[in-house]
Amino acid sequence: DMANFLRRFHALILTSKSESYGLVIEESFRCGIPAIISSKCGIIDTLAFDGENSIIIDIQDIDASVSKINRFFQIEELLVRNIKNLDFSVRDYNSVKAFYE
């Protein structure tokens, strides 16, 4: 039910000052939703890539952040398409494997 609810939104916005990983971003990707993420989020360059499946902003630079958020609306379809092409099977396998090895 939650995935169906989330699919009604255009993006998840996470503007944390500090975020060790950002599991909520991975969850949004699994629902096909791109994200606008603070540059302080640990998921950057592991699963979230600026302009590929998310928009990464520097929350200290308001003007640049506004510009990048506006860019989101220009490339939203590309971000969604790239998210739909993500393969979570290896990530899922490794996560489960960590509990039984």
Side-chain angles (χ1 to χ4, degrees):
D1 291 339
M2 182 60 78
N4 288 329
F5 172 76
L6 292 174
R7 285 187 183 107
R8 299 185 329 192
F9 297 94
H10 288 269
L12 173 75
I13 300 175
L14 184 67
T15 57
S16 303
K17 290 183 179 180
S18 175
E19 192 75 42
S20 59
Y21 177 68
L23 183 59
V24 68
I25 301 301
E26 182 175 337
E27 292 169 342
S28 76
F29 288 170
R30 288 176 183 264
C31 293
I33 302 167
I36 299 170
I37 311 168
S38 160
S39 59
K40 303 297 182 186
C41 191
I43 198 169
I44 294 171
D45 295 331
T46 59
L47 187 59
F49 299 93
D50 189 39
E52 184 176 319
N53 56 13
S54 59
I55 295 293
I56 299 169
I57 61 173
D58 177 356
I59 60 172
Q60 303 299 324
D61 188 340
I62 295 173
D63 291 336
S65 294
V66 168
S67 177
K68 290 192 87 171
I69 291 169
N70 284 329
R71 177 158 165 66
F72 168 83
F73 295 105
Q74 297 169 353
I75 65 170
E76 180 181 1
E77 289 181 24
L78 171 68
L79 300 176
V80 170
R81 189 170 45 250
N82 288 341
I83 288 169
K84 288 181 180 178
N85 290 327
L86 287 174
D87 182 4
F88 288 99
S89 60
V90 171
R91 180 177 291 274
D92 293 345
Y93 174 79
N94 289 336
S95 294
V96 171
K97 183 177 162 186
F99 287 101
Y100 65 84
E101 281 193 351

XYZ file of all heavy atoms in Angstrom:
810
model
N 0.815 -1.195 0.000
C 0.000 0.000 0.000
C 0.862 1.265 0.000
O 0.525 2.244 -0.640
C -0.937 0.011 1.193
C -2.027 -1.053 1.072
O -2.295 -1.511 -0.057
O -2.595 -1.413 2.110
N 1.965 1.222 0.754
C 2.824 2.404 0.842
C 3.433 2.741 -0.522
O 3.490 3.901 -0.910
C 3.927 2.203 1.879
C 4.813 3.427 2.042
S 3.937 4.911 2.555
C 3.733 4.611 4.279
N 3.872 1.729 -1.256
C 4.460 1.976 -2.578
C 3.445 2.640 -3.494
O 3.784 3.584 -4.222
C 4.972 0.677 -3.184
N 2.214 2.194 -3.486
C 1.177 2.806 -4.315
C 0.910 4.244 -3.895
O 0.695 5.114 -4.732
C -0.115 1.990 -4.259
C 0.011 0.694 -5.016
O 0.732 0.612 -5.999
N -0.675 -0.329 -4.550
N 0.940 4.499 -2.606
C 0.771 5.859 -2.104
C 1.912 6.752 -2.583
O 1.697 7.852 -3.089
C 0.699 5.847 -0.574
C 0.709 7.208 0.044
C -0.417 8.003 0.012
C 1.856 7.691 0.667
C -0.412 9.272 0.584
C 1.872 8.948 1.242
C 0.734 9.743 1.205
N 3.146 6.277 -2.457
C 4.312 7.074 -2.819
C 4.387 7.370 -4.310
O 4.893 8.414 -4.708
C 5.589 6.370 -2.364
C 5.797 6.274 -0.860
C 7.017 5.437 -0.544
C 5.916 7.660 -0.239
N 3.887 6.480 -5.133
C 3.959 6.668 -6.580
C 3.168 7.873 -7.067
O 3.294 8.278 -8.209
C 3.495 5.395 -7.285
C 4.531 4.300 -7.211
C 4.144 3.092 -8.053
N 5.133 2.053 -7.882
C 4.943 0.931 -7.196
N 3.764 0.679 -6.655
N 5.903 0.055 -7.067
N 2.370 8.466 -6.207
C 1.596 9.662 -6.579
C 2.462 10.921 -6.565
O 2.038 11.970 -7.032
C 0.407 9.836 -5.656
C -0.553 8.658 -5.718
C -1.791 8.851 -4.900
N -1.592 9.680 -3.720
C -2.470 9.791 -2.743
N -3.577 9.125 -2.786
N -2.232 10.576 -1.708
N 3.655 10.826 -6.016
C 4.521 11.995 -5.866
C 5.556 12.065 -6.982
O 5.928 11.055 -7.560
C 5.212 11.956 -4.496
C 4.228 12.028 -3.360
C 3.746 10.864 -2.775
C 3.774 13.246 -2.900
C 2.820 10.920 -1.740
C 2.846 13.310 -1.866
C 2.365 12.141 -1.289
N 6.048 13.264 -7.255
C 7.061 13.469 -8.298
C 8.466 13.209 -7.794
O 9.325 12.771 -8.545
C 6.986 14.898 -8.850
C 5.800 15.141 -9.684
N 5.802 14.953 -11.045
C 4.551 15.531 -9.369
C 4.614 15.232 -11.528
N 3.831 15.584 -10.528
N 8.710 13.509 -6.516
C 10.064 13.368 -5.973
C 10.023 13.290 -4.457
O 9.066 13.746 -3.830
C 10.936 14.546 -6.381
N 11.077 12.720 -3.917
C 11.311 12.752 -2.481
C 12.374 13.819 -2.254
O 13.380 13.856 -2.981
C 11.816 11.404 -1.980
C 12.242 11.391 -0.523
C 11.008 11.390 0.374
C 13.109 10.208 -0.219
N 12.158 14.682 -1.289
C 13.142 15.718 -0.971
C 13.729 15.414 0.403
O 13.002 15.291 1.383
C 12.502 17.121 -0.991
C 11.925 17.404 -2.376
C 13.524 18.166 -0.586
C 11.168 18.710 -2.471
N 15.053 15.262 0.439
C 15.762 14.982 1.692
C 16.911 15.984 1.802
O 17.939 15.837 1.143
C 16.301 13.550 1.697
C 16.980 13.096 2.975
C 15.982 13.013 4.126
C 17.652 11.755 2.779
N 16.706 17.009 2.604
C 17.699 18.081 2.709
C 18.405 18.055 4.068
O 18.603 19.082 4.695
C 17.031 19.448 2.478
O 15.961 19.613 3.415
C 16.504 19.569 1.069
N 18.807 16.883 4.478
C 19.477 16.718 5.769
C 20.825 17.424 5.801
O 21.527 17.494 4.800
C 19.721 15.233 6.036
O 18.530 14.517 6.005
N 21.184 17.902 6.978
C 22.528 18.451 7.188
C 23.539 17.327 7.329
O 24.725 17.514 7.098
C 22.552 19.339 8.428
C 21.796 20.627 8.263
C 21.926 21.471 9.510
C 21.182 22.774 9.327
N 21.299 23.619 10.526
N 23.060 16.148 7.734
C 23.902 14.971 7.880
C 23.018 13.739 7.722
O 21.966 13.657 8.348
C 24.570 14.967 9.257
O 25.283 13.774 9.447
N 23.437 12.804 6.902
C 22.658 11.588 6.659
C 23.649 10.479 6.337
O 24.288 10.499 5.284
C 21.700 11.820 5.486
C 20.669 10.765 5.313
C 19.562 10.842 6.352
O 19.097 11.940 6.677
O 19.180 9.760 6.844
N 23.789 9.514 7.235
C 24.829 8.495 7.056
C 24.647 7.687 5.775
O 25.612 7.401 5.080
C 24.887 7.571 8.268
O 23.633 6.934 8.447
N 23.432 7.305 5.448
C 23.202 6.582 4.194
C 22.033 7.183 3.430
O 22.180 7.650 2.322
C 22.971 5.089 4.442
C 22.655 4.329 3.160
C 23.625 4.168 2.177
C 21.388 3.820 2.923
C 23.336 3.500 0.994
C 21.101 3.137 1.744
C 22.074 2.984 0.788
O 21.792 2.324 -0.382
N 20.864 7.186 4.002
C 19.688 7.707 3.326
C 18.822 6.583 2.777
O 18.475 6.576 1.596
N 18.502 5.626 3.624
C 17.702 4.477 3.204
C 16.394 4.905 2.552
O 15.922 4.261 1.617
C 17.427 3.559 4.393
C 16.660 2.279 4.105
C 17.404 1.425 3.076
C 16.437 1.490 5.378
N 15.825 5.997 3.006
C 14.567 6.475 2.440
C 14.729 6.791 0.942
O 13.785 6.643 0.163
C 14.029 7.685 3.244
C 14.913 8.903 3.077
C 12.602 7.996 2.866
N 15.918 7.173 0.512
C 16.182 7.425 -0.908
C 16.123 6.109 -1.670
O 15.505 6.018 -2.732
C 17.554 8.104 -1.108
C 17.612 9.431 -0.352
C 17.846 8.287 -2.591
C 16.574 10.443 -0.738
N 16.761 5.080 -1.144
C 16.699 3.775 -1.794
C 15.248 3.310 -1.892
O 14.828 2.784 -2.931
C 17.527 2.740 -1.024
C 17.526 1.388 -1.692
C 18.427 0.370 -1.029
O 19.387 0.761 -0.329
O 18.163 -0.830 -1.223
N 14.483 3.517 -0.844
C 13.073 3.129 -0.867
C 12.307 3.900 -1.932
O 11.456 3.337 -2.625
C 12.452 3.337 0.510
C 12.998 2.378 1.552
C 12.609 2.730 2.971
O 12.205 3.891 3.226
O 12.714 1.847 3.835
N 12.604 5.185 -2.081
C 11.906 5.960 -3.113
C 12.284 5.468 -4.507
O 11.423 5.364 -5.387
C 12.178 7.460 -2.965
O 13.454 7.824 -3.420
N 13.547 5.119 -4.710
C 13.969 4.574 -5.999
C 13.232 3.268 -6.300
O 12.826 3.020 -7.424
C 15.475 4.332 -6.033
C 16.321 5.577 -6.101
C 17.689 5.493 -5.921
C 15.776 6.829 -6.337
C 18.498 6.615 -5.998
C 16.567 7.963 -6.410
C 17.931 7.852 -6.237
N 13.071 2.445 -5.284
C 12.368 1.176 -5.474
C 10.909 1.402 -5.874
O 10.293 0.521 -6.464
C 12.454 0.314 -4.220
C 13.840 -0.267 -4.012
C 13.924 -1.031 -2.700
N 15.258 -1.531 -2.460
C 15.665 -2.756 -2.758
N 14.843 -3.604 -3.321
N 16.895 -3.121 -2.501
N 10.377 2.566 -5.546
C 9.004 2.919 -5.942
C 8.986 3.708 -7.248
O 7.930 4.164 -7.694
C 8.341 3.731 -4.834
S 8.057 2.801 -3.323
N 10.164 3.917 -7.852
C 10.241 4.643 -9.116
C 10.219 6.150 -8.975
O 9.917 6.860 -9.926
N 10.564 6.639 -7.799
C 10.503 8.067 -7.523
C 11.913 8.644 -7.409
O 12.714 8.191 -6.586
C 9.748 8.327 -6.207
C 8.345 7.740 -6.299
C 9.707 9.810 -5.881
C 7.642 7.674 -4.977
N 12.234 9.647 -8.208
C 13.534 10.301 -8.076
C 13.599 11.123 -6.789
O 12.587 11.328 -6.133
C 13.616 11.193 -9.315
C 12.222 11.388 -9.759
C 11.428 10.219 -9.284
N 14.794 11.588 -6.470
C 14.981 12.315 -5.221
C 15.788 13.584 -5.431
O 16.630 13.656 -6.322
C 15.683 11.420 -4.212
N 15.507 14.546 -4.600
C 16.307 15.763 -4.491
C 16.977 15.642 -3.128
O 16.310 15.580 -2.095
C 15.430 17.017 -4.598
C 14.736 17.041 -5.970
C 16.263 18.270 -4.348
C 13.670 18.098 -6.120
N 18.307 15.564 -3.143
C 19.060 15.138 -1.967
C 20.119 16.167 -1.582
O 20.810 16.713 -2.443
C 19.800 13.813 -2.263
C 18.881 12.786 -2.886
C 20.466 13.271 -1.026
C 19.622 11.588 -3.454
N 20.306 16.325 -0.293
C 21.402 17.140 0.213
C 22.737 16.477 -0.122
O 22.856 15.247 -0.111
C 21.267 17.270 1.729
O 22.479 17.635 2.328
N 23.726 17.280 -0.384
C 25.067 16.756 -0.676
C 25.690 16.065 0.539
O 26.750 15.463 0.427
C 25.978 17.889 -1.150
O 26.069 18.900 -0.163
N 25.032 16.103 1.670
C 25.529 15.466 2.894
C 24.998 14.048 3.075
O 25.237 13.423 4.095
C 25.133 16.294 4.122
C 25.624 17.717 4.076
C 27.122 17.781 4.068
C 27.591 19.234 4.084
N 29.012 19.356 3.947
N 24.307 13.529 2.090
C 23.681 12.209 2.192
C 24.654 11.123 1.735
O 25.246 11.207 0.661
C 22.416 12.178 1.344
S 21.389 10.751 1.627
N 24.826 10.084 2.540
C 25.801 9.035 2.272
C 25.500 8.144 1.077
O 26.360 7.395 0.639
N 24.298 8.212 0.551
C 23.927 7.364 -0.587
C 24.476 7.907 -1.920
O 24.486 7.212 -2.925
C 22.395 7.190 -0.645
C 22.025 5.986 -1.503
C 21.710 8.458 -1.131
C 20.564 5.587 -1.405
N 24.982 9.129 -1.872
C 25.517 9.769 -3.080
C 26.740 8.991 -3.573
O 27.618 8.626 -2.799
C 25.875 11.243 -2.809
C 24.593 12.020 -2.514
C 26.625 11.862 -3.981
C 24.824 13.417 -2.024
N 26.765 8.758 -4.848
C 27.833 8.044 -5.552
C 27.897 6.555 -5.221
O 28.853 5.884 -5.591
C 29.206 8.696 -5.336
C 29.281 10.085 -5.951
O 28.572 10.340 -6.952
O 30.037 10.917 -5.433
N 26.906 6.046 -4.485
C 26.774 4.595 -4.329
C 25.519 4.114 -5.043
O 25.540 3.108 -5.722
C 26.728 4.164 -2.848
O 25.624 4.801 -2.207
C 28.011 4.514 -2.134
N 24.423 4.857 -4.888
C 23.179 4.527 -5.566
C 22.538 5.767 -6.183
O 21.855 5.676 -7.193
C 22.196 3.854 -4.595
C 20.914 3.305 -5.184
C 21.206 2.247 -6.260
C 20.032 2.714 -4.106
N 22.782 6.915 -5.600
C 22.216 8.174 -6.089
C 23.287 8.976 -6.821
O 24.357 9.235 -6.272
C 21.668 8.990 -4.920
N 22.972 9.331 -8.061
C 23.917 10.071 -8.884
C 23.231 11.310 -9.460
O 22.150 11.216 -10.041
C 24.454 9.182 -10.006
C 25.202 7.978 -9.500
C 24.553 6.769 -9.321
C 26.535 8.075 -9.167
C 25.220 5.662 -8.840
C 27.227 6.970 -8.681
C 26.566 5.771 -8.511
N 23.885 12.440 -9.282
C 23.334 13.717 -9.715
C 23.059 13.733 -11.212
O 23.926 13.416 -12.019
C 24.308 14.845 -9.356
C 23.716 16.219 -9.568
O 22.522 16.407 -9.264
O 24.450 17.111 -10.027
N 21.829 14.072 -11.558
C 21.450 14.176 -12.961
C 21.146 12.847 -13.620
O 20.694 12.799 -14.758
N 21.387 11.748 -12.897
C 21.119 10.419 -13.443
C 19.833 9.835 -12.867
O 18.966 9.376 -13.593
C 22.297 9.492 -13.149
C 22.150 8.127 -13.766
C 23.379 7.279 -13.532
O 24.514 7.791 -13.626
O 23.201 6.085 -13.228
N 19.724 9.845 -11.542
C 18.503 9.357 -10.910
C 18.074 10.255 -9.750
O 17.139 9.954 -9.033
C 18.656 7.911 -10.439
C 19.826 7.710 -9.501
O 20.408 8.661 -8.991
N 20.187 6.465 -9.277
N 18.789 11.339 -9.579
C 18.493 12.272 -8.498
C 19.090 13.639 -8.826
O 19.850 13.781 -9.783
C 19.074 11.751 -7.180
O 20.472 11.580 -7.293
N 18.728 14.588 -8.017
C 19.333 15.914 -8.065
C 19.988 16.119 -6.703
O 19.352 15.928 -5.666
C 18.269 17.013 -8.317
C 17.633 16.863 -9.697
C 18.856 18.405 -8.117
C 18.564 17.126 -10.870
N 21.252 16.471 -6.714
C 21.984 16.663 -5.467
C 22.239 18.153 -5.287
O 22.774 18.807 -6.185
C 23.298 15.857 -5.481
C 22.947 14.365 -5.623
C 24.104 16.128 -4.218
C 24.106 13.468 -5.909
N 21.820 18.650 -4.118
C 21.943 20.085 -3.859
C 22.840 20.342 -2.654
O 22.949 19.514 -1.754
C 20.561 20.738 -3.627
C 19.846 20.129 -2.413
C 19.699 20.629 -4.867
C 18.566 20.832 -2.021
N 23.469 21.499 -2.666
C 24.244 21.979 -1.522
C 23.311 22.907 -0.750
O 23.038 24.025 -1.196
C 25.489 22.718 -2.000
C 26.294 23.312 -0.864
O 25.871 23.225 0.312
O 27.360 23.890 -1.156
N 22.813 22.450 0.388
C 21.823 23.239 1.120
C 22.382 24.550 1.661
O 21.626 25.424 2.065
C 21.169 22.426 2.252
C 22.204 21.940 3.257
C 20.360 21.274 1.686
C 21.610 21.298 4.499
N 23.696 24.718 1.623
C 24.313 25.974 2.041
C 24.233 27.032 0.947
O 24.364 28.216 1.223
C 25.780 25.740 2.426
C 25.985 24.717 3.522
C 25.325 25.107 4.834
O 25.276 26.273 5.200
N 24.800 24.128 5.537
N 24.038 26.601 -0.299
C 23.995 27.511 -1.447
C 22.562 27.557 -1.981
O 22.173 26.764 -2.834
C 24.965 27.018 -2.522
C 25.121 28.002 -3.660
O 24.242 28.870 -3.845
O 26.128 27.875 -4.389
N 21.796 28.485 -1.463
C 20.369 28.559 -1.787
C 20.138 28.825 -3.263
O 19.290 28.171 -3.892
C 19.669 29.615 -0.912
C 19.713 29.165 0.549
C 18.228 29.845 -1.374
C 19.222 30.182 1.535
N 20.858 29.753 -3.859
C 20.649 30.078 -5.276
C 20.929 28.870 -6.167
O 20.152 28.557 -7.073
C 21.524 31.261 -5.705
C 21.085 32.573 -5.069
O 19.888 32.672 -4.694
O 21.924 33.472 -4.931
N 22.028 28.179 -5.909
C 22.362 26.989 -6.697
C 21.327 25.890 -6.463
O 20.962 25.174 -7.401
C 23.763 26.493 -6.355
N 20.842 25.758 -5.244
C 19.832 24.741 -4.940
C 18.541 25.014 -5.689
O 17.944 24.090 -6.258
C 19.559 24.684 -3.430
O 20.690 24.238 -2.730
N 18.112 26.252 -5.719
C 16.894 26.617 -6.454
C 17.070 26.309 -7.939
O 16.186 25.747 -8.581
C 16.528 28.099 -6.224
C 15.454 28.559 -7.197
C 16.088 28.324 -4.786
N 18.232 26.630 -8.475
C 18.518 26.345 -9.881
C 18.464 24.845 -10.165
O 17.895 24.410 -11.166
C 19.900 26.913 -10.238
O 20.224 26.597 -11.556
N 19.051 24.056 -9.279
C 19.055 22.602 -9.484
C 17.655 22.007 -9.318
O 17.292 21.061 -10.013
C 20.057 21.934 -8.552
C 21.502 22.258 -8.966
C 22.476 21.402 -8.273
C 22.630 20.138 -9.101
N 23.726 19.300 -8.642
N 16.869 22.557 -8.403
C 15.490 22.083 -8.253
C 14.695 22.406 -9.514
O 13.912 21.578 -9.989
C 14.838 22.672 -6.984
C 15.497 22.067 -5.742
C 13.325 22.426 -6.984
C 15.140 22.749 -4.440
N 14.906 23.562 -10.085
C 14.253 23.893 -11.357
C 14.705 22.939 -12.459
O 13.914 22.554 -13.316
C 14.538 25.340 -11.748
C 13.722 26.319 -10.927
O 12.608 26.018 -10.503
N 14.285 27.480 -10.671
N 15.956 22.537 -12.440
C 16.464 21.572 -13.417
C 15.744 20.232 -13.277
O 15.513 19.541 -14.261
C 17.969 21.385 -13.257
C 18.558 20.342 -14.187
C 20.033 20.536 -14.414
N 20.677 19.394 -14.987
C 20.461 18.899 -16.206
N 19.576 19.476 -16.985
N 21.122 17.842 -16.649
N 15.389 19.878 -12.053
C 14.662 18.631 -11.820
C 13.452 18.535 -12.749
O 13.209 17.498 -13.361
C 14.209 18.528 -10.359
C 13.227 17.421 -10.130
C 13.670 16.123 -9.945
C 11.865 17.662 -10.128
C 12.769 15.089 -9.761
C 10.958 16.636 -9.939
C 11.414 15.346 -9.760
N 12.699 19.616 -12.848
C 11.490 19.587 -13.662
C 11.799 19.433 -15.147
O 10.982 18.918 -15.902
C 10.644 20.837 -13.406
C 10.132 20.889 -11.993
C 10.688 21.758 -11.071
C 9.125 20.038 -11.576
C 10.230 21.792 -9.765
C 8.656 20.056 -10.269
C 9.216 20.941 -9.365
N 12.983 19.832 -15.560
C 13.399 19.668 -16.957
C 13.809 18.240 -17.273
O 13.644 17.787 -18.406
C 14.569 20.614 -17.278
C 14.222 22.070 -17.162
C 15.449 22.959 -17.227
O 16.586 22.492 -17.237
N 15.220 24.264 -17.254
N 14.359 17.538 -16.297
C 14.873 16.186 -16.561
C 14.144 15.092 -15.780
O 14.613 13.959 -15.711
C 16.401 16.109 -16.292
C 16.725 16.334 -14.813
C 17.163 17.078 -17.184
C 18.166 16.033 -14.445
N 12.996 15.424 -15.219
C 12.258 14.453 -14.392
C 12.019 13.136 -15.127
O 12.224 12.061 -14.561
C 10.931 15.054 -13.941
C 10.108 14.113 -13.091
C 8.778 14.714 -12.668
O 8.453 15.855 -13.044
O 8.049 14.004 -11.943
N 11.600 13.197 -16.367
C 11.326 11.957 -17.116
C 12.575 11.099 -17.258
O 12.512 9.876 -17.146
C 10.744 12.281 -18.489
C 9.325 12.803 -18.426
C 8.751 13.103 -19.790
O 9.219 12.511 -20.796
O 7.835 13.934 -19.854
N 13.727 11.720 -17.515
C 14.993 10.986 -17.606
C 15.322 10.315 -16.279
O 15.711 9.146 -16.248
C 16.124 11.932 -18.011
C 17.538 11.349 -17.944
C 17.713 10.267 -19.006
C 18.570 12.447 -18.086
N 15.168 11.039 -15.181
C 15.462 10.484 -13.864
C 14.587 9.265 -13.588
O 15.078 8.221 -13.142
C 15.242 11.538 -12.775
C 16.082 12.819 -12.860
C 15.668 13.795 -11.766
C 17.555 12.523 -12.789
N 13.291 9.377 -13.883
C 12.361 8.262 -13.655
C 12.739 7.072 -14.526
O 12.773 5.930 -14.061
C 10.904 8.702 -13.914
C 9.958 7.503 -13.919
C 10.461 9.730 -12.877
N 13.057 7.326 -15.776
C 13.449 6.241 -16.695
C 14.703 5.528 -16.181
O 14.776 4.303 -16.171
C 13.665 6.810 -18.098
C 13.856 5.783 -19.177
C 13.826 6.350 -20.589
N 14.595 7.571 -20.775
C 14.044 8.780 -20.999
N 12.746 8.926 -21.059
N 14.806 9.842 -21.167
N 15.680 6.288 -15.723
C 16.914 5.688 -15.209
C 16.658 4.890 -13.928
O 17.287 3.845 -13.709
C 17.972 6.760 -14.960
C 18.536 7.311 -16.250
O 18.419 6.703 -17.312
N 19.134 8.480 -16.175
N 15.760 5.354 -13.096
C 15.430 4.623 -11.871
C 14.774 3.296 -12.221
O 15.070 2.263 -11.622
C 14.530 5.464 -10.955
C 15.348 6.596 -10.348
C 13.894 4.607 -9.859
C 14.527 7.641 -9.637
N 13.906 3.305 -13.203
C 13.238 2.062 -13.603
C 14.225 1.036 -14.140
O 13.947 -0.159 -14.131
C 12.142 2.353 -14.626
C 10.954 3.048 -14.000
C 9.863 3.327 -14.991
C 8.711 4.028 -14.280
N 7.624 4.376 -15.174
N 15.387 1.485 -14.586
C 16.418 0.581 -15.104
C 17.381 0.092 -14.025
O 18.268 -0.703 -14.315
C 17.195 1.247 -16.238
C 16.355 1.414 -17.477
O 15.486 0.599 -17.764
N 16.591 2.487 -18.213
N 17.227 0.571 -12.785
C 18.099 0.107 -11.705
C 17.799 -1.356 -11.403
O 16.650 -1.776 -11.378
C 17.869 0.927 -10.431
C 18.406 2.344 -10.415
C 17.959 3.056 -9.134
C 19.922 2.352 -10.506
N 18.853 -2.123 -11.166
C 18.708 -3.538 -10.829
C 19.074 -3.713 -9.357
O 20.242 -3.617 -8.986
C 19.611 -4.379 -11.722
C 19.486 -5.867 -11.461
O 18.639 -6.271 -10.629
O 20.238 -6.635 -12.083
N 18.081 -3.965 -8.540
C 18.308 -4.117 -7.108
C 18.622 -5.550 -6.709
O 18.885 -5.826 -5.544
C 17.077 -3.635 -6.328
C 16.909 -2.142 -6.347
C 16.028 -1.545 -7.224
C 17.639 -1.346 -5.488
C 15.867 -0.170 -7.240
C 17.487 0.033 -5.491
C 16.602 0.620 -6.372
N 18.614 -6.483 -7.653
C 18.757 -7.897 -7.297
C 20.094 -8.192 -6.613
O 20.130 -8.934 -5.626
C 18.561 -8.795 -8.520
O 19.524 -8.501 -9.514
N 21.194 -7.651 -7.079
C 22.500 -7.893 -6.458
C 22.538 -7.264 -5.071
O 22.998 -7.882 -4.104
C 23.650 -7.361 -7.345
C 24.976 -7.417 -6.610
C 23.709 -8.133 -8.641
N 22.035 -6.049 -4.948
C 21.984 -5.357 -3.654
C 21.138 -6.169 -2.662
O 21.526 -6.361 -1.518
C 21.412 -3.961 -3.845
C 21.300 -3.153 -2.584
C 20.793 -1.758 -2.875
N 21.760 -0.969 -3.583
C 22.724 -0.267 -2.994
N 22.831 -0.275 -1.701
N 23.580 0.425 -3.699
N 19.997 -6.672 -3.114
C 19.122 -7.470 -2.254
C 19.807 -8.768 -1.837
O 19.775 -9.156 -0.673
C 17.805 -7.796 -2.964
C 16.951 -6.563 -3.199
O 17.228 -5.511 -2.584
O 16.012 -6.652 -4.012
N 20.440 -9.429 -2.790
C 21.127 -10.694 -2.509
C 22.215 -10.480 -1.458
O 22.318 -11.233 -0.491
C 21.723 -11.274 -3.793
C 22.556 -12.498 -3.555
C 21.962 -13.748 -3.352
C 23.944 -12.412 -3.500
C 22.727 -14.884 -3.102
C 24.717 -13.540 -3.257
C 24.112 -14.766 -3.067
O 24.870 -15.870 -2.810
N 23.034 -9.455 -1.644
C 24.118 -9.187 -0.699
C 23.598 -8.818 0.680
O 24.201 -9.175 1.693
C 25.042 -8.098 -1.236
C 25.874 -8.585 -2.400
O 26.111 -9.777 -2.554
N 26.309 -7.657 -3.232
N 22.476 -8.113 0.731
C 21.885 -7.746 2.020
C 21.413 -8.977 2.769
O 21.677 -9.139 3.958
C 20.709 -6.781 1.821
O 21.160 -5.572 1.302
N 20.713 -9.856 2.081
C 20.220 -11.075 2.716
C 21.382 -11.986 3.096
O 21.422 -12.562 4.185
C 19.227 -11.812 1.777
C 18.871 -13.181 2.331
C 17.978 -10.963 1.573
N 22.362 -12.083 2.217
C 23.529 -12.937 2.453
C 24.274 -12.526 3.723
O 24.818 -13.366 4.440
C 24.443 -12.837 1.238
C 25.651 -13.712 1.270
C 26.428 -13.548 -0.035
C 27.830 -14.050 0.108
N 28.626 -13.779 -1.090
N 24.285 -11.244 4.025
C 24.980 -10.746 5.215
C 24.409 -11.335 6.497
O 25.105 -11.426 7.504
C 24.910 -9.230 5.254
N 23.152 -11.767 6.462
C 22.520 -12.309 7.671
C 22.773 -13.798 7.868
O 22.577 -14.308 8.954
C 21.007 -12.058 7.627
C 20.651 -10.622 7.863
C 20.331 -9.801 6.790
C 20.677 -10.081 9.140
C 20.004 -8.475 6.985
C 20.365 -8.755 9.345
C 20.029 -7.950 8.274
N 23.180 -14.497 6.839
C 23.364 -15.942 7.011
C 24.785 -16.410 6.762
O 25.062 -17.590 6.805
C 22.357 -16.749 6.171
C 22.494 -16.627 4.675
C 23.388 -17.401 3.963
C 21.696 -15.732 3.973
C 23.495 -17.297 2.601
C 21.796 -15.621 2.602
C 22.700 -16.405 1.911
O 22.794 -16.287 0.561
N 25.705 -15.532 6.538
C 27.110 -15.944 6.399
C 27.939 -15.433 7.540
O 27.707 -14.510 8.175
C 27.683 -15.419 5.076
C 27.266 -16.267 3.928
C 28.064 -15.951 2.670
O 28.824 -14.977 2.641
O 27.910 -16.696 1.713
